[in-house]
């Protein structure tokens, strides 16, 4: 087996978790930098609401001003792809007993958390918690399979 492919199977989950974290941080930076949305004024002033809704619906990341749920196609795609990568990592280690590990399920839980749980008025806490769980799960995955792919 190709050593590069073996190393990629071991490190893919951690690399993708770092990639998902970078994409999420860039998304949050765009959200807070380019679209300074005053939520109180957005909810109370109908003219401001209409103006910001027209701007946000045509924005770079399709922000809609609702921070209670995850509506961005970009972030939903990143987290669904993370779930698929976790599932593939689980299947790659299912063939033999000495490589079998359930640790990709921890990362899968981390990627599922922002998509399923809506805690109160700000989804960013669920995104942060989900990324921390996914990162910890990917670290455990690397330790669990050890030098199997070396």
């Amino acid at each position: 087996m190709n050593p590069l492919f073996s190393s990629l199977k071991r490190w893919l989950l951690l690399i993708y978790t770092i990639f998902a974290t970078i994409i999420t941080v860039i998304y949050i930076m765009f959200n807070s930098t380019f679209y300074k949305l005053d939520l109180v004024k957005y909810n109370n002033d109908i003219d401001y609401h209409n103006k910001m809704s027209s701007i946000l619906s045509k924005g770079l990341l399709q922000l809609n001003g609702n921070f209670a749920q995850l509506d961005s196609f970009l972030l939903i795609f990143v987290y669904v792809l993370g779930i698929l990568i976790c599932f593939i990592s689980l299947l790659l280690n299912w063939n033999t007993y000495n490589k079998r590990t359930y640790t990709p399920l921890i990362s899968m839980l981390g990627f599922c958390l922002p998509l399923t749980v809506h805690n109160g008025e700000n989804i960013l806490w669920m995104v942060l918690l989900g990324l921390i769980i996914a990162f910890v799960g990917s670290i455990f995955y690397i330790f669990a399979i050890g030098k199997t792919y070396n």
Side-chain angles (χ1 to χ4, degrees):
M1 185 179 284
N2 188 355
L4 180 64
F5 182 68
S6 296
S7 179
L8 183 65
K9 285 195 297 187
R10 181 177 181 193
W11 294 96
L12 180 66
L13 192 56
L14 180 64
I15 290 168
Y16 187 76
T17 305
I18 292 170
F19 172 74
T21 304
I22 290 170
I23 292 294
T24 304
V25 167
I26 289 171
Y27 175 83
I28 292 169
M29 285 174 22
F30 276 140
N31 189 8
S32 63
T33 303
F34 292 126
Y35 305 107
K36 295 205 183 276
L37 181 65
D38 183 6
L39 287 177
V40 175
K41 190 174 179 182
Y42 184 79
N43 291 329
N44 295 333
D45 187 5
I46 192 69
D47 292 330
Y48 183 74
H49 182 279
N50 293 337
K51 177 183 165 191
M52 290 308 288
S53 294
S54 67
I55 291 172
L56 295 176
S57 66
K58 297 176 184 104
L60 178 64
L61 299 172
Q62 298 300 317
L63 300 173
N64 68 347
N66 184 3
F67 297 111
Q69 59 188 1
L70 195 60
D71 285 338
S72 169
F73 176 75
L74 175 69
L75 288 183
I76 291 172
F77 178 74
V78 165
Y79 295 137
V80 168
L81 189 61
I83 292 168
L84 290 174
I85 288 175
C86 292
F87 186 69
I88 289 169
S89 298
L90 184 69
L91 290 179
L92 285 175
N93 294 309
W94 197 258
N95 295 335
T96 59
Y97 183 74
N98 63 343
K99 292 193 300 185
R100 191 172 295 175
T101 179
Y102 295 100
T103 53
L105 294 177
I106 299 170
S107 292
M108 190 181 292
L109 172 72
F111 285 119
C112 285
L113 193 65
L115 297 174
T116 57
V117 177
H118 306 292
N119 185 18
E121 60 187 55
N122 198 344
I123 191 67
L124 293 179
W125 289 110
M126 286 296 111
V127 168
L128 178 66
L129 183 62
L131 287 174
I132 290 171
I133 291 171
F135 188 72
V136 168
S138 63
I139 297 270
F140 284 157
Y141 172 71
I142 290 171
F143 288 141
I145 60 173
K147 296 189 183 251
T148 303
Y149 291 120
N150 288 338

